[in-house]
Amino acid sequence: PGQLEQEAGAALVEQLNDPQMDIRMLAYLNLKWMTGRSQEYRAHKSPDQQSPQIQGWRRLLPEGLVRYQKAPEPLRVLAPPSP
């Protein structure tokens, strides 16, 4: 969580401008999952059409609001079923 709050959060916000929709979608889903916010962003629209929403995400960065609401829990490692 600490690394994300510093540089990776900014990287995710910048990826909302990516020309590839799949990159924008993954960045948005991660931001929404972390923060619980949507900023009314729509990844299927071009970055030019989303400029106000992207600016909204950028405004959250200096305020420290692009961070986890709750720290993520470690993933459980599942063992394969016994034969």
Coordinates of all heavy atoms in Angstrom, one line a residue:
P1 N 0.8 -1.2 0.0 CA 0.0 0.0 0.0 C 0.8 1.3 0.0 O 0.5 2.2 -0.6 CB -0.8 -0.1 1.3 CG -1.0 -1.6 1.5 CD 0.3 -2.2 1.0
G2 N 2.0 1.3 0.7 CA 2.8 2.5 0.8 C 3.3 2.9 -0.6 O 3.3 4.1 -0.9
Q3 N 3.8 2.0 -1.4 CA 4.4 2.3 -2.7 C 3.3 2.8 -3.6 O 3.5 3.7 -4.3 CB 5.0 1.0 -3.3 CG 5.5 1.3 -4.7 CD 6.0 0.0 -5.4 OE1 5.8 -1.1 -4.9 NE2 6.6 0.2 -6.5
L4 N 2.1 2.2 -3.5 CA 1.0 2.6 -4.3 C 0.6 4.1 -4.0 O 0.4 4.9 -4.9 CB -0.2 1.7 -4.1 CG -1.4 2.1 -5.0 CD1 -1.0 1.9 -6.4 CD2 -2.6 1.2 -4.6
E5 N 0.6 4.4 -2.8 CA 0.2 5.8 -2.4 C 1.2 6.8 -2.9 O 0.9 8.0 -3.0 CB 0.0 5.9 -0.9 CG -1.2 5.0 -0.4 CD -1.3 4.9 1.1 OE1 -0.5 5.6 1.8 OE2 -2.0 4.1 1.5
Q6 N 2.4 6.4 -3.2 CA 3.4 7.3 -3.6 C 3.5 7.5 -5.2 O 3.0 8.5 -5.7 CB 4.8 7.0 -3.1 CG 4.8 7.0 -1.6 CD 6.1 6.5 -1.0 OE1 7.0 6.1 -1.7 NE2 6.2 6.4 0.3
E7 N 4.0 6.4 -5.8 CA 4.2 6.6 -7.3 C 3.3 5.7 -8.1 O 2.9 6.2 -9.2 CB 5.7 6.2 -7.6 CG 6.0 4.8 -7.2 CD 7.4 4.6 -6.8 OE1 8.0 5.5 -6.1 OE2 8.0 3.6 -7.1
A8 N 2.9 4.6 -7.7 CA 2.1 3.7 -8.5 C 0.7 4.3 -8.7 O 0.1 4.1 -9.8 CB 2.0 2.3 -7.9
G9 N 0.1 5.0 -7.7 CA -1.2 5.6 -7.9 C -1.2 6.6 -9.0 O -2.1 6.7 -9.8
A10 N -0.1 7.4 -9.1 CA 0.1 8.4 -10.1 C 0.2 7.7 -11.5 O -0.4 8.2 -12.5 CB 1.3 9.3 -9.9
A11 N 0.9 6.6 -11.5 CA 1.0 5.8 -12.8 C -0.3 5.3 -13.2 O -0.6 5.4 -14.4 CB 2.0 4.7 -12.6
L12 N -1.1 4.8 -12.3 CA -2.5 4.3 -12.7 C -3.3 5.5 -13.3 O -4.0 5.3 -14.3 CB -3.2 3.7 -11.5 CG -2.7 2.3 -11.1 CD1 -3.3 1.9 -9.8 CD2 -3.0 1.3 -12.2
V13 N -3.2 6.6 -12.6 CA -4.0 7.8 -13.1 C -3.6 8.1 -14.5 O -4.4 8.4 -15.4 CB -3.9 9.0 -12.1 CG1 -4.5 10.2 -12.7 CG2 -4.6 8.6 -10.8
E14 N -2.3 8.1 -14.8 CA -1.8 8.5 -16.1 C -2.2 7.5 -17.1 O -2.4 7.8 -18.3 CB -0.3 8.7 -16.1 CG 0.1 10.0 -15.4 CD -0.7 11.2 -15.8 OE1 -0.7 11.5 -17.1 OE2 -1.2 11.9 -15.0
Q15 N -2.3 6.2 -16.7 CA -2.7 5.2 -17.7 C -4.2 5.3 -18.1 O -4.6 4.7 -19.1 CB -2.5 3.8 -17.1 CG -1.0 3.4 -17.0 CD -0.7 2.2 -16.3 OE1 -1.5 1.7 -15.5 NE2 0.4 1.6 -16.6
L16 N -4.9 6.2 -17.4 CA -6.3 6.5 -17.9 C -6.3 7.2 -19.3 O -7.3 7.2 -19.9 CB -7.0 7.3 -16.9 CG -7.3 6.7 -15.5 CD1 -7.9 7.7 -14.6 CD2 -8.1 5.4 -15.6
N17 N -5.1 7.7 -19.6 CA -4.9 8.4 -20.9 C -4.4 7.5 -22.0 O -4.2 8.0 -23.1 CB -3.9 9.6 -20.7 CG -4.6 10.9 -20.6 OD1 -5.6 11.1 -21.2 ND2 -4.0 11.7 -19.8
D18 N -4.2 6.2 -21.7 CA -3.5 5.3 -22.7 C -4.4 5.2 -23.9 O -5.7 5.1 -23.8 CB -3.3 4.0 -22.0 CG -2.3 3.1 -22.8 OD1 -2.7 2.5 -23.8 OD2 -1.1 3.2 -22.4
P19 N -3.8 5.1 -25.1 CA -4.6 4.9 -26.3 C -5.3 3.5 -26.3 O -6.4 3.4 -27.0 CB -3.7 5.0 -27.5 CG -2.3 5.0 -26.9 CD -2.4 5.3 -25.4
Q20 N -4.8 2.6 -25.6 CA -5.5 1.2 -25.6 C -6.5 1.1 -24.5 O -6.2 1.4 -23.4 CB -4.4 0.1 -25.4 CG -3.4 0.1 -26.5 CD -2.4 -1.0 -26.3 OE1 -2.7 -2.0 -25.6 NE2 -1.2 -0.9 -26.9
M21 N -7.7 0.7 -25.0 CA -8.8 0.7 -24.0 C -8.6 -0.3 -22.9 O -8.9 -0.1 -21.7 CB -10.1 0.3 -24.7 CG -11.3 0.4 -23.8 SD -12.9 0.0 -24.5 CE -12.7 -1.8 -24.6
D22 N -7.9 -1.5 -23.2 CA -7.7 -2.5 -22.1 C -6.8 -1.9 -21.0 O -7.0 -2.2 -19.9 CB -7.2 -3.8 -22.7 CG -5.9 -3.6 -23.5 OD1 -5.6 -2.5 -24.0 OD2 -5.3 -4.7 -23.8
I23 N -5.8 -1.1 -21.4 CA -4.9 -0.5 -20.4 C -5.7 0.5 -19.5 O -5.6 0.5 -18.3 CB -3.7 0.2 -21.0 CG1 -2.9 -0.7 -21.9 CG2 -2.9 1.0 -20.0 CD1 -2.2 -1.8 -21.1
R24 N -6.6 1.3 -20.2 CA -7.4 2.2 -19.5 C -8.4 1.5 -18.5 O -8.5 1.9 -17.4 CB -8.2 3.1 -20.4 CG -7.4 4.0 -21.3 CD -8.2 5.1 -22.0 NE -9.3 4.6 -22.8 CZ -9.3 4.2 -24.1 NH1 -8.2 4.3 -24.7 NH2 -10.4 3.8 -24.7
M25 N -8.9 0.4 -19.0 CA -9.9 -0.3 -18.2 C -9.2 -0.9 -16.9 O -9.8 -0.8 -15.8 CB -10.6 -1.4 -19.0 CG -11.5 -2.3 -18.2 SD -12.9 -1.3 -17.5 CE -14.0 -1.2 -19.0
L26 N -8.1 -1.5 -17.1 CA -7.4 -2.1 -16.0 C -6.9 -1.0 -15.0 O -7.1 -1.2 -13.8 CB -6.1 -2.9 -16.4 CG -6.5 -4.2 -17.2 CD1 -5.2 -4.8 -17.8 CD2 -7.2 -5.2 -16.2
A27 N -6.5 0.1 -15.5 CA -6.1 1.2 -14.6 C -7.3 1.7 -13.8 O -7.2 1.9 -12.6 CB -5.5 2.4 -15.4
Y28 N -8.4 1.9 -14.5 CA -9.6 2.4 -13.8 C -10.1 1.4 -12.8 O -10.5 1.7 -11.7 CB -10.7 2.7 -14.9 CG -12.1 2.9 -14.2 CD1 -12.3 4.0 -13.5 CD2 -13.1 1.9 -14.4 CE1 -13.5 4.2 -12.9 CE2 -14.3 2.1 -13.8 CZ -14.5 3.2 -13.0 OH -15.7 3.4 -12.4
L29 N -10.2 0.1 -13.2 CA -10.7 -0.9 -12.2 C -9.8 -1.0 -11.0 O -10.3 -1.1 -9.8 CB -10.8 -2.3 -12.9 CG -11.9 -2.4 -14.0 CD1 -11.7 -3.8 -14.7 CD2 -13.2 -2.2 -13.4
N30 N -8.5 -0.9 -11.1 CA -7.6 -0.9 -10.0 C -7.8 0.4 -9.1 O -7.9 0.3 -7.9 CB -6.2 -1.0 -10.4 CG -5.8 -2.4 -10.6 OD1 -5.5 -3.1 -9.7 ND2 -5.7 -2.8 -11.9
L31 N -8.0 1.5 -9.7 CA -8.2 2.8 -9.0 C -9.6 2.7 -8.2 O -9.7 3.1 -7.1 CB -8.2 4.0 -9.9 CG -6.9 4.4 -10.4 CD1 -7.0 5.3 -11.6 CD2 -6.0 5.0 -9.3
K32 N -10.6 2.2 -8.9 CA -11.9 2.1 -8.3 C -11.9 1.1 -7.1 O -12.4 1.3 -6.0 CB -13.0 1.7 -9.3 CG -14.3 1.7 -8.7 CD -15.4 1.5 -9.7 CE -16.8 1.5 -9.0 NZ -17.8 1.2 -9.9
W33 N -11.2 0.0 -7.3 CA -11.1 -1.1 -6.3 C -10.3 -0.5 -5.0 O -10.7 -0.8 -3.9 CB -10.3 -2.3 -6.8 CG -10.1 -3.4 -5.9 CD1 -11.0 -4.1 -5.2 CD2 -8.9 -3.9 -5.4 NE1 -10.4 -5.0 -4.4 CE2 -9.1 -4.9 -4.5 CE3 -7.5 -3.5 -5.7 CZ2 -8.1 -5.6 -3.9 CZ3 -6.5 -4.2 -5.1 CH2 -6.8 -5.2 -4.2
M34 N -9.3 0.3 -5.3 CA -8.5 0.8 -4.2 C -9.3 1.9 -3.4 O -9.3 1.9 -2.2 CB -7.2 1.5 -4.7 CG -6.2 0.5 -5.2 SD -4.8 1.4 -6.0 CE -5.2 3.1 -5.7
T35 N -9.8 2.8 -4.2 CA -10.4 4.0 -3.6 C -11.9 4.0 -3.3 O -12.4 4.8 -2.5 CB -10.1 5.3 -4.5 OG1 -10.8 5.1 -5.7 CG2 -8.6 5.4 -4.8
G36 N -12.6 3.1 -4.0 CA -14.0 3.1 -3.9 C -14.7 4.3 -4.7 O -15.9 4.5 -4.7
R37 N -13.9 5.0 -5.5 CA -14.4 6.1 -6.3 C -14.5 5.8 -7.7 O -13.7 4.9 -8.2 CB -13.5 7.3 -6.1 CG -13.3 7.9 -4.7 CD -12.2 8.9 -4.7 NE -12.0 9.4 -3.3 CZ -12.5 10.5 -2.9 NH1 -13.2 11.3 -3.7 NH2 -12.3 10.9 -1.7
S38 N -15.4 6.4 -8.5 CA -15.5 6.2 -9.9 C -15.1 7.4 -10.7 O -14.6 7.3 -11.8 CB -16.9 5.8 -10.3 OG -17.7 6.9 -10.3
Q39 N -15.3 8.6 -10.2 CA -15.0 9.9 -10.9 C -15.8 9.9 -12.2 O -15.4 10.7 -13.1 CB -13.5 10.1 -11.1 CG -12.7 10.2 -9.9 CD -13.0 11.4 -9.0 OE1 -13.7 11.2 -8.0 NE2 -12.6 12.6 -9.4
E40 N -16.8 9.1 -12.3 CA -17.6 9.0 -13.5 C -16.8 8.7 -14.8 O -17.1 9.1 -15.9 CB -18.4 10.3 -13.7 CG -19.3 10.6 -12.6 CD -20.4 9.6 -12.3 OE1 -20.9 9.0 -13.3 OE2 -20.6 9.3 -11.1
Y41 N -15.6 8.1 -14.6 CA -14.8 7.7 -15.7 C -15.4 6.5 -16.5 O -15.9 5.6 -15.9 CB -13.4 7.3 -15.2 CG -12.4 6.9 -16.3 CD1 -11.7 7.9 -17.0 CD2 -12.2 5.6 -16.6 CE1 -10.9 7.6 -18.0 CE2 -11.3 5.3 -17.6 CZ -10.6 6.3 -18.3 OH -9.8 5.9 -19.3
R42 N -15.2 6.5 -17.8 CA -15.7 5.5 -18.7 C -14.6 5.1 -19.6 O -14.2 5.8 -20.5 CB -16.9 5.9 -19.5 CG -18.1 6.4 -18.7 CD -18.8 5.2 -17.9 NE -19.9 5.6 -17.1 CZ -19.9 5.8 -15.8 NH1 -18.8 5.6 -15.1 NH2 -20.9 6.2 -15.2
A43 N -14.0 3.9 -19.4 CA -12.8 3.4 -20.1 C -13.1 3.2 -21.6 O -12.2 3.3 -22.4 CB -12.3 2.2 -19.5
H44 N -14.4 3.0 -22.0 CA -14.7 2.7 -23.4 C -14.7 4.0 -24.2 O -14.7 3.9 -25.4 CB -16.1 2.0 -23.5 CG -17.2 2.8 -23.1 ND1 -17.6 2.9 -21.8 CD2 -18.1 3.6 -23.8 CE1 -18.6 3.7 -21.7 NE2 -19.0 4.1 -22.9
K45 N -14.7 5.1 -23.5 CA -14.6 6.4 -24.3 C -13.2 6.8 -24.5 O -12.3 6.4 -23.7 CB -15.4 7.5 -23.5 CG -16.9 7.3 -23.4 CD -17.5 8.5 -22.8 CE -19.0 8.3 -22.8 NZ -19.7 9.5 -22.2
S46 N -12.9 7.6 -25.5 CA -11.5 8.0 -25.7 C -11.0 8.9 -24.6 O -11.8 9.6 -24.0 CB -11.4 8.7 -27.1 OG -12.0 10.0 -27.0
P47 N -9.7 8.9 -24.4 CA -9.2 9.9 -23.4 C -9.6 11.3 -23.6 O -9.9 12.1 -22.7 CB -7.7 9.7 -23.5 CG -7.5 8.3 -24.0 CD -8.7 8.1 -24.9
D48 N -9.7 11.7 -24.9 CA -10.2 13.1 -25.2 C -11.6 13.4 -24.6 O -11.9 14.5 -24.2 CB -10.2 13.4 -26.7 CG -8.8 13.4 -27.3 OD1 -7.8 13.5 -26.5 OD2 -8.7 13.2 -28.5
Q49 N -12.4 12.4 -24.6 CA -13.8 12.5 -24.1 C -13.8 12.4 -22.6 O -14.9 12.8 -22.0 CB -14.7 11.4 -24.7 CG -14.9 11.5 -26.2 CD -15.7 10.4 -26.7 OE1 -15.4 9.2 -26.4 NE2 -16.7 10.6 -27.6
Q50 N -12.8 12.0 -22.0 CA -12.7 11.8 -20.6 C -11.9 12.8 -19.8 O -11.6 12.6 -18.6 CB -12.2 10.4 -20.3 CG -13.2 9.3 -20.7 CD -14.4 9.3 -19.9 OE1 -14.4 8.8 -18.7 NE2 -15.5 9.7 -20.4
S51 N -11.5 13.9 -20.5 CA -10.5 14.8 -19.9 C -11.0 15.3 -18.5 O -10.2 15.3 -17.6 CB -10.3 16.0 -20.9 OG -9.3 16.8 -20.3
P52 N -12.3 15.7 -18.3 CA -12.7 16.2 -17.0 C -12.6 15.1 -15.9 O -12.2 15.4 -14.8 CB -14.1 16.7 -17.2 CG -14.3 16.9 -18.7 CD -13.3 15.9 -19.3
Q53 N -12.9 13.9 -16.3 CA -12.8 12.8 -15.3 C -11.4 12.5 -15.0 O -11.0 12.2 -13.8 CB -13.5 11.6 -15.9 CG -15.0 11.7 -16.0 CD -15.5 12.5 -17.2 OE1 -14.7 12.9 -18.1 NE2 -16.8 12.8 -17.3
I54 N -10.5 12.5 -16.0 CA -9.1 12.2 -15.7 C -8.5 13.4 -14.8 O -7.7 13.1 -13.9 CB -8.3 12.1 -17.0 CG1 -8.8 10.8 -17.8 CG2 -6.8 12.0 -16.8 CD1 -8.3 10.7 -19.2
Q55 N -8.9 14.6 -15.1 CA -8.4 15.7 -14.3 C -9.0 15.5 -12.8 O -8.3 15.9 -11.9 CB -8.9 17.0 -14.8 CG -8.2 17.5 -16.1 CD -6.7 17.6 -15.8 OE1 -6.2 18.1 -14.8 NE2 -5.9 17.1 -16.8
G56 N -10.2 15.0 -12.7 CA -10.7 14.7 -11.3 C -9.8 13.7 -10.6 O -9.5 13.9 -9.4
W57 N -9.3 12.7 -11.3 CA -8.4 11.7 -10.6 C -7.1 12.4 -10.3 O -6.5 12.2 -9.2 CB -8.1 10.5 -11.6 CG -9.2 9.5 -11.5 CD1 -10.2 9.3 -12.5 CD2 -9.5 8.6 -10.5 NE1 -11.0 8.2 -12.1 CE2 -10.6 7.8 -10.9 CE3 -9.0 8.3 -9.2 CZ2 -11.2 6.8 -10.1 CZ3 -9.5 7.3 -8.5 CH2 -10.6 6.6 -8.9
R58 N -6.6 13.3 -11.2 CA -5.3 13.9 -10.9 C -5.4 14.9 -9.7 O -4.5 15.0 -9.0 CB -4.9 14.7 -12.2 CG -4.4 13.9 -13.3 CD -3.9 14.7 -14.4 NE -3.4 13.8 -15.5 CZ -3.6 14.0 -16.8 NH1 -4.2 15.1 -17.2 NH2 -3.0 13.2 -17.7
R59 N -6.6 15.5 -9.6 CA -6.8 16.4 -8.4 C -6.7 15.6 -7.1 O -6.4 16.2 -6.0 CB -8.1 17.1 -8.5 CG -8.0 18.3 -9.4 CD -9.2 19.2 -9.3 NE -10.5 18.6 -9.7 CZ -10.9 18.5 -11.0 NH1 -10.2 19.1 -11.9 NH2 -12.0 17.9 -11.3
L60 N -7.1 14.3 -7.1 CA -7.0 13.5 -5.9 C -5.6 13.2 -5.5 O -5.4 12.9 -4.3 CB -7.8 12.2 -6.1 CG -9.3 12.4 -6.4 CD1 -9.9 11.0 -6.7 CD2 -10.0 13.1 -5.2
L61 N -4.7 13.2 -6.4 CA -3.3 12.7 -6.1 C -2.6 13.6 -5.0 O -2.2 13.1 -4.0 CB -2.4 12.7 -7.3 CG -2.7 11.6 -8.3 CD1 -2.0 11.8 -9.6 CD2 -2.3 10.2 -7.7
P62 N -2.6 15.0 -5.2 CA -1.9 15.8 -4.1 C -2.7 15.8 -2.8 O -2.1 16.0 -1.8 CB -1.9 17.2 -4.7 CG -2.6 17.2 -6.0 CD -3.0 15.7 -6.3
E63 N -3.9 15.4 -2.8 CA -4.7 15.4 -1.6 C -4.5 14.0 -0.9 O -5.1 13.8 0.2 CB -6.2 15.6 -1.9 CG -6.5 16.9 -2.5 CD -8.0 17.0 -3.0 OE1 -8.8 16.3 -2.4 OE2 -8.2 17.8 -3.9
G64 N -3.8 13.1 -1.5 CA -3.5 11.8 -0.9 C -4.7 10.9 -0.9 O -4.8 10.0 -0.1
L65 N -5.6 11.1 -1.8 CA -6.9 10.3 -1.9 C -6.8 9.1 -2.8 O -7.8 8.4 -2.9 CB -8.1 11.2 -2.2 CG -8.3 12.3 -1.1 CD1 -9.4 13.2 -1.6 CD2 -8.6 11.7 0.2
V66 N -5.7 9.0 -3.6 CA -5.5 7.8 -4.4 C -4.7 6.8 -3.6 O -3.5 6.7 -3.7 CB -4.8 8.1 -5.7 CG1 -4.6 6.9 -6.6 CG2 -5.7 9.2 -6.5
R67 N -5.5 6.1 -2.7 CA -4.9 5.1 -1.8 C -5.9 4.1 -1.4 O -7.1 4.3 -1.7 CB -4.3 5.8 -0.6 CG -5.4 6.6 0.2 CD -4.8 7.3 1.4 NE -5.7 8.1 2.1 CZ -6.6 7.7 2.9 NH1 -6.7 6.5 3.3 NH2 -7.5 8.6 3.5
Y68 N -5.5 3.1 -0.8 CA -6.4 2.0 -0.4 C -7.3 2.6 0.7 O -6.8 3.2 1.6 CB -5.7 0.8 0.1 CG -5.0 0.0 -0.9 CD1 -3.7 0.0 -1.1 CD2 -5.8 -0.9 -1.7 CE1 -3.1 -0.8 -2.1 CE2 -5.2 -1.7 -2.7 CZ -3.8 -1.6 -2.9 OH -3.3 -2.4 -3.8
Q69 N -8.6 2.3 0.6 CA -9.5 2.6 1.8 C -9.1 1.7 2.9 O -9.1 2.1 4.1 CB -10.9 2.4 1.4 CG -11.5 3.4 0.4 CD -12.9 3.1 0.1 OE1 -13.4 2.0 0.2 NE2 -13.6 4.2 -0.2
K70 N -8.8 0.4 2.6 CA -8.5 -0.6 3.5 C -7.3 -1.4 2.9 O -7.4 -1.8 1.7 CB -9.7 -1.5 3.8 CG -9.4 -2.7 4.7 CD -10.7 -3.5 4.8 CE -10.3 -4.9 5.3 NZ -11.3 -5.9 5.2
A71 N -6.3 -1.6 3.7 CA -5.1 -2.4 3.1 C -5.6 -3.7 2.6 O -6.4 -4.4 3.3 CB -4.1 -2.5 4.2
P72 N -5.1 -4.1 1.5 CA -5.5 -5.5 0.9 C -4.9 -6.6 1.8 O -3.9 -6.5 2.4 CB -4.9 -5.5 -0.5 CG -3.8 -4.5 -0.4 CD -4.2 -3.5 0.6
E73 N -5.7 -7.7 1.8 CA -5.2 -8.8 2.6 C -4.4 -9.7 1.6 O -4.6 -9.7 0.4 CB -6.4 -9.6 3.1 CG -7.2 -8.8 4.1 CD -8.4 -9.6 4.6 OE1 -8.5 -10.8 4.4 OE2 -9.3 -8.9 5.2
P74 N -3.4 -10.4 2.2 CA -2.7 -11.3 1.3 C -3.6 -12.4 0.6 O -4.6 -12.8 1.2 CB -1.7 -12.0 2.3 CG -1.7 -11.2 3.5 CD -3.0 -10.5 3.5
L75 N -3.2 -12.8 -0.5 CA -3.9 -13.8 -1.2 C -3.7 -15.2 -0.6 O -2.6 -15.5 -0.1 CB -3.5 -13.9 -2.7 CG -3.8 -12.7 -3.6 CD1 -3.3 -12.9 -4.9 CD2 -5.3 -12.5 -3.6
R76 N -4.7 -15.9 -0.5 CA -4.6 -17.3 0.1 C -4.1 -18.2 -1.0 O -4.5 -18.1 -2.2 CB -5.9 -17.8 0.6 CG -6.5 -17.1 1.7 CD -7.7 -17.7 2.3 NE -8.6 -18.2 1.2 CZ -9.5 -19.1 1.4 NH1 -9.7 -19.6 2.5 NH2 -10.3 -19.5 0.4
V77 N -3.1 -19.0 -0.7 CA -2.6 -20.0 -1.6 C -3.4 -21.3 -1.4 O -3.4 -21.8 -0.3 CB -1.1 -20.2 -1.4 CG1 -0.6 -21.3 -2.3 CG2 -0.3 -18.9 -1.6
L78 N -4.0 -21.7 -2.4 CA -4.8 -22.9 -2.3 C -4.0 -24.1 -2.8 O -3.3 -24.0 -3.8 CB -6.1 -22.8 -3.2 CG -7.0 -21.6 -2.8 CD1 -8.2 -21.5 -3.8 CD2 -7.5 -21.8 -1.4
A79 N -4.1 -25.2 -2.0 CA -3.4 -26.4 -2.4 C -4.3 -27.2 -3.4 O -5.5 -27.1 -3.3 CB -3.1 -27.2 -1.2
P80 N -3.7 -27.9 -4.3 CA -4.5 -28.8 -5.2 C -5.3 -29.8 -4.4 O -4.8 -30.2 -3.3 CB -3.5 -29.4 -6.1 CG -2.2 -29.2 -5.5 CD -2.3 -28.1 -4.5
P81 N -6.4 -30.3 -4.8 CA -7.1 -31.3 -4.1 C -6.3 -32.6 -4.0 O -5.5 -32.9 -4.9 CB -8.4 -31.5 -4.9 CG -8.2 -30.8 -6.2 CD -7.1 -29.9 -6.0
S82 N -6.5 -33.3 -2.9 CA -5.8 -34.5 -2.7 C -6.4 -35.6 -3.6 O -7.6 -35.6 -3.9 CB -5.9 -35.0 -1.3 OG -5.4 -34.1 -0.4
P83 N -5.5 -36.5 -4.2 CA -6.0 -37.6 -5.0 C -6.9 -38.6 -4.3 O -7.0 -38.8 -3.2 CB -4.8 -38.2 -5.6 CG -3.6 -37.7 -4.9 CD -4.1 -36.5 -4.0

